[in-house]
Amino acid sequence: METRIYMKTLIIDGYVDEPACLGVPPYLSPYPRYIAGALRERGIAEKDIHYITIDTLRENPPGAGELTGKADLVIIIAGTTVPGKYLRASPITLGEIETIFRTAHGVKVIGGPIRLGFSGEGGRAAKGTESRINFSGAVLARMDLEAFVYDLFKDGFTGSSAVKLRNPEAVEQRFRTTDEIGRWGLSGAFLIQQHPDYPYCMCELETYRGCGRQVHCSFCTEPFYGASDYRPIDDVISEASALYSHGARYFRIGRQPDLFSYHGKDVGGPVPKPDPVAIERLYRGIRNSAPELSVLHMDNANPITLATYPEESEQILKTIIKYHTAGDVAAFGMESADRAVIEANSLKATSEEVFEAIKLVNRLGAVRGVNGLPEILPGINFVHGLMGESRKTFQLNYDFLKEVLDSGLLLRRINIRQVMAFPGTPMYGRDEAARKHKKLFLDYKERVRKNIDLPMLRRVVPEGTVLRDVMCEVREKGITFGRQLGSYPLLIGIPASLPLRKFTDVTVTGHGMRSITGIPYPLPINAASPNLIRELPGLGKKAADSIIAGVPYIDRDDFLRRVSEGDKLLRFIDI
C-alpha cells in the first residue's frame, strides 16, 4: 500500500531560458514536471502539489502571500543563461525572489540555471547569487533542483502525517540520474494541467544534456552538466505518452544541445556520428503514443554534425519531416563567421561548414507545409563580444548572411545577441569586446534587420500566404498579436480586437523586420472593419475604398461584378 504524506508544497516557476532549454510561456520546461514527479515518488499526494507561474503571482499578490505563507515547502525554479525577449511573460527578478521568501514560513529552496549566477542588466551575470538569496533562509540547489528536493525527504516513512525533512543545509548536492527522471517525468506529467496556458502550452522534452566535446565553446553553460548523458529512447516516448494522457498536444524535442547527435557514436573524432535509427525510433514512438498531437518540433542542431555526416543527417531530416509538424526550426549555433573568433573561443563550425548545413536543410525542408510555413528551416545564432572579436567580425558575419540571402536559401530566423558570461566559463571576465563594440554592434544589428531579415521574411512567408492556427495572445492599441504555437513562432499583428486564447487562420498582408501583419482568413467582407479590408493583399487605397463603399455584397457573383479584379481577392474573403 502506497504511503501518503500530507504536506503542502508550492512550485513557483520563475521561468528558465538556457542554450538548450526553454521554459517561458507558452513553454513548460521539464524542471517543474521532474520536481512534481520526485515529490510524488516521496509520497506527496497530487492534490498537495501546487504549481504557479511568477506571472500568475504578479496578477494576484495577496493570493501569492497566502499561498507561500501556508506552504510547508516552497520551491522556486529560475535562471536565464541566454538573454531573450518574450511576448507576454517575464522571468522572475531577484527582488521578487526575496519578497516571496520573506513571506514563506516553510522550507525554502531555489534552483535551476540560477545556480550558475543571476543574470543581471546588460547581459552580464551577477556575482554572489547564493549569498544574495540566503539572507531569507532559502537554500540554493547548486546542482540539480529535482534531485535536491527528492533528497530533502528522509527515507523510511511509517505512514505518519508528520513529514520529516532533512536539514536543507545538510543535503548532499548532486545531479539526478537518467533513471530518476525516467520515473519522475511520468509521475510528474499531471502538472501540465496546472499551467495557466493549459492545454495550449508547449512541453519541452529532454533527450539528453551535457556536451561530449573535450574543449567547449568559451561562453556555453551546457558543459556544467557534464558529458552527454543520453536518455533511453523508450523513456522519452513514455514521458510524451504520459503528458499526452493528461491533455498535452504541443511538444518540442528541445532540451538537448544537438538533436542530430542523440545516441551518436564516438568514432574517435571531435563530432559524434549520428544514429538515424535511434532518431527514427524516437519520432515514430512519439507519434504512435500521441497520435493526435498538434505540434511536434525540435530545437538545437549542431551544423558541424550535418556538415561532417551529410548522409546520416539527410536520413534524420527525412525522418523529422515524416513525423513532425510543419513550421519546424533547426537552430544552428554558428556564433561567428570570423575564423579568429572561432579559434579563440573553441567554436564548432566554420562559415563554410554552416553554409553546407543550411543548404542541406533547405534542400529537404523548404517545401511549404499544411500550416503555411516551410516544413523545416535552419535558424542561425550569432554571439558577439567573444574573445578575438574585431570590427572585421561584424562585416564577416554580415557578408555570410548576405551570401545566404543571395543564394536563394531560406533562414527561419537570425538571432543576434551579445555574450552573457557566467563564472566557470572561459569567457567570464573577458567580455570587454561586448562593451568596446556596443555602438558597432547596434548599427550592425540594425543593418542585418533591414537588409537581411526583411527580404528573408518576405521570402519565407510571401504576401498572400495563409497561416493556419494562429493563437491570439495580446491586444494593444486595437491590434491583436498572435503566434502559431511552435519553435520560434512568427509574431503576427492583426489590426482588429480579436478574442484572446482563440485560434484563427491568417492571411499574410505585410512584413516588418521580424514580424508580419495579417488579417483573418477568410475575411468576412460584409462584417469586416475598413482597417481589415484595406489590408487585403495587392489592394491599393482607391480600390480598398471602393470595396468598403460597396458593402454589403449579396454573393460572390455580386462581388465579382462590382469589384475590379475581384477574382484575385476571392480566395481571401468570405461572403
Side-chain angles (χ1 to χ4, degrees), residues 9-73:
T9 60
L10 177 62
I11 302 170
I12 300 174
D13 196 342
Y15 310 143
V16 300
D17 195 348
E18 303 176 81
C21 185
L22 179 60
V24 182
Y27 280 81
L28 173 62
S29 77
Y31 292 110
R33 308 195 313 258
Y34 292 164
I35 291 167
L39 292 169
R40 290 287 296 114
E41 189 168 303
R42 282 306 202 184
I44 308 298
E46 283 186 19
K47 67 180 181 62
D48 291 326
I49 300 173
H50 302 279
Y51 168 84
I52 194 165
T53 68
I54 183 59
D55 281 311
T56 302
L57 289 182
R58 289 170 182 145
E59 292 166 5
N60 185 20
E66 184 178 353
L67 280 170
T68 55
K70 291 183 177 181
D72 301 303
L73 174 60

Side-chain angles (χ1 to χ4, degrees), residues 64-70 74 97-106 108 136:
E66 184 178 353
L67 280 170
T68 55
K70 291 183 177 181
V74 177
I97 294 170
E98 294 167 348
T99 299
I100 290 169
F101 282 151
R102 274 200 304 268
T103 62
H105 300 294
K108 297 169 280 191
S136 55

Side-chain angles (χ1 to χ4, degrees), residues 19 118 143 166 175 289 309 366 384 410 482 498 562:
F118 192 87
M143 297 181 79
R166 300 180 189 277
F175 285 126
S289 63
Y309 298 103
H384 284 274
L410 300 178
L498 301 181
R562 294 199 280 142

Side-chain angles (χ1 to χ4, degrees), residues 125-145:
K127 297 180 181 179
T129 299
E130 185 173 3
S131 63
R132 295 175 71 185
I133 293 172
N134 269 346
F135 79 97
S136 55
V139 176
L140 175 68
R142 293 187 297 276
M143 297 181 79
D144 275 330
L145 179 57

Side-chain angles (χ1 to χ4, degrees), residues 187-241:
S187 54
F190 74 92
L191 200 75
I192 184 178
Q193 295 181 334
Q194 296 185 36
H195 194 280
D197 288 339
Y198 177 83
Y200 308 121
C201 54
M202 289 281 293
C203 293
E204 190 93 323
L205 294 175
E206 176 180 339
T207 59
Y208 74 97
R209 68 177 189 180
C211 179
R213 297 181 74 206
Q214 291 185 344
V215 180
H216 305 291
C217 299
S218 66
F219 59 90
C220 189
T221 56
E222 194 64 22
F224 291 139
Y225 294 108
S228 299
D229 186 16
Y230 302 124
R231 293 184 67 190
I233 296 169
D234 289 341
D235 281 8
V236 182
I237 294 170
S238 296
E239 184 177 342
S241 178

Side-chain angles (χ1 to χ4, degrees), residues 230-239 262-263 275 277-283 285-286:
Y230 302 124
R231 293 184 67 190
I233 296 169
D234 289 341
D235 281 8
V236 182
I237 294 170
S238 296
E239 184 177 342
Y262 178 50
H263 282 289
D275 186 348
V277 174
I279 293 178
E280 201 279 338
R281 277 185 56 205
L282 173 70
Y283 270 84
I286 291 174

